[in-house]
Amino acid sequence: MRIKNFFIRRKSREVAKDRLKILLISDRVNCSPEMMEMIKTDIAKVISKYMKIDAESMEIQISKTDSKGRDKTPTLYANIPILDLHKNIN
């Protein structure tokens, strides 16, 4: 995260929209909003080891999809903006 982005205040409308998305998604798969945030944070940490990403714009979604002949199973989708594929690894 860049320092200047830290001080930029998001509009309350955007924050409310993000919170509502998380609430609706978590309700569909019986996963609490807190758990969704922990999953998002963990995914961002792991991917950040290998490439530079925009974690603030990252979106995750869990939905139920049909599985070959079985009941619907939860599936995780992630939209993670990549800023740079070549991160210097120390």
Side-chain angles (χ1 to χ4, degrees):
M1 180 169 72
R2 294 184 179 167
I3 289 290
K4 69 176 186 173
N5 291 343
F6 182 75
F7 295 105
I8 295 175
R9 187 177 176 127
R10 292 175 52 194
K11 294 180 182 178
S12 61
R13 173 180 77 185
E14 293 170 354
V15 173
K17 183 179 173 183
D18 288 345
R19 288 181 181 165
L20 182 59
K21 277 186 194 177
I22 291 171
L23 182 63
L24 290 172
I25 291 167
S26 63
D27 186 49
R28 285 186 205 150
V29 293
N30 294 326
C31 181
S32 71
E34 293 83 14
M35 180 66 73
M36 291 292 289
E37 279 301 316
M38 289 188 326
I39 291 169
K40 183 177 176 179
T41 301
D42 287 348
I43 290 171
K45 282 181 187 177
V46 170
I47 294 175
S48 293
K49 290 180 183 180
Y50 304 101
M51 62 188 68
K52 189 174 180 181
I53 63 169
D54 182 1
E56 295 296 318
S57 299
M58 180 175 148
E59 298 175 13
I60 62 167
Q61 178 180 1
I62 299 176
S63 61
K64 292 189 178 184
T65 58
D66 286 328
S67 186
K68 298 177 183 176
R70 292 189 257 168
D71 293 335
K72 292 185 176 189
T73 57
T75 305
L76 177 81
Y77 294 97
N79 181 5
I80 306 166
I82 299 170
L83 302 175
D84 189 3
L85 287 173
H86 307 287
K87 183 172 181 177
N88 294 332
I89 300 173
N90 296 332

